[in-house]
Amino acid sequence: DTGVSQDPRHKITKRGQNVTFRCDPISEHNRLYWYRQTLGQGPEFLTYFQNEAQLEKSRLLSDRFSAERPKGSFSTLEIQRTEQGDSAMYLCASSMTGTDTDTQYFGPGTRLTVL
Amino acid sequence: GQNIDQPTEMTATEGAIVQINCTYQTSGFNGLFWYQQHAGEAPTFLSYNVLDGLEEKGRFSSFLSRSKGYSYLLLKELQMKDSASYLCAVVVPGGYKLIFGSGTRLLVRP
């Protein structure tokens, strides 16, 4: 069990550029979640997938954000025309349906800095 | 709206016991999680409560009262490595997302 992995770990970009992050969940997990966390705050939910279907999106996810999970395995989160307010840690988590707790296990995150 | 409250910061002494409280007001309840998060790292799962009562796991215990909208995380025999943020999160009906509090930053002093 290799855990949830995310790439890149850090990303610095200029305002207006597009960025894409990747998340690889724990291999047998069918649910995948994206959260955003700013300093001193708890993670905020962005969206989640069950297999390849995107089942819920937060109002936080503006039109500039898009997430995909094309084959029900890894997922990508793209932010277009980045703004300074997008600077945050982007966390991915995965879980398995059918377990008692449906516990979400988090990856190490991608820290985005928009200059 | 959904509201989860935790103290912002707590300080305790190595070897002591500390209790971190969490109160929630949410549109329904399907379970409560506690996560530990060291600075710059991912949250790691500590405990899950869905029924009232105490769940014990080694040095860590978590308590839930659904009627009071209240939970606490109890850490015993504190170690320096327990210095971290502790996040309380609730799952509400209709989905699987976690709704997090702002976290409690615990500092353990020698």
Side-chain angles (χ1 to χ4, degrees), chain A residues 31 35 37 48 56 104 107, chain B residues 35 37 42 48 96-98:
Chain A
R31 288 202 184 115
Y35 292 83
Q37 186 176 27
Y48 95 92
E56 188 174 353
Q104 294 181 31
Chain B
Y35 284 84
Q37 187 176 28
Y48 170 75
Y96 302 96
K97 65 187 178 191
L98 294 173

Side-chain angles (χ1 to χ4, degrees), chain A:
Chain A
D1 182 358
T2 57
V4 179
S5 61
Q6 293 186 245
D7 184 69
R9 295 291 306 277
H10 303 273
K11 179 71 178 179
I12 300 174
T13 191
K14 292 182 179 178
R15 191 177 49 175
Q17 298 295 304
N18 299 344
V19 294
T20 300
F21 310 141
R22 176 180 170 124
C23 170
D24 287 88
I26 294 171
S27 58
E28 65 271 21
H29 285 187
N30 59 344
R31 288 202 184 115
L32 186 148
Y33 311 76
W34 286 99
Y35 292 83
R36 179 172 69 186
Q37 186 176 27
T38 53
L39 202 62
Q41 300 297 314
E44 294 176 291
F45 170 78
L46 294 177
T47 189
Y48 95 92
F49 294 83
Q50 180 157 317
N51 301 313
E52 64 274 10
Q54 188 173 17
L55 296 186
E56 188 174 353
K57 290 171 61 172
S58 164
R59 286 189 296 258
L60 291 174
L61 220 61
S62 74
D63 292 345
R64 296 184 298 105
F65 288 71
S66 63
E68 294 183 344
R69 194 182 184 200
K71 296 182 180 178
S73 57
F74 73 92
S75 174
T76 58
L77 178 68
E78 181 183 18
I79 309 174
Q80 296 182 329
R81 304 181 303 281
T82 52
E83 302 172 355
Q84 287 184 326
D86 297 331
S87 294
M89 176 77 88
Y90 289 84
L91 292 165
C92 175
S94 69
S95 71
M96 182 65 190
T97 54
T99 58
D100 288 344
T101 64
D102 201 13
T103 298
Q104 294 181 31
Y105 295 91
F106 284 82
T110 295
R111 181 169 295 284
L112 173 66
T113 302
V114 182
L115 301 175

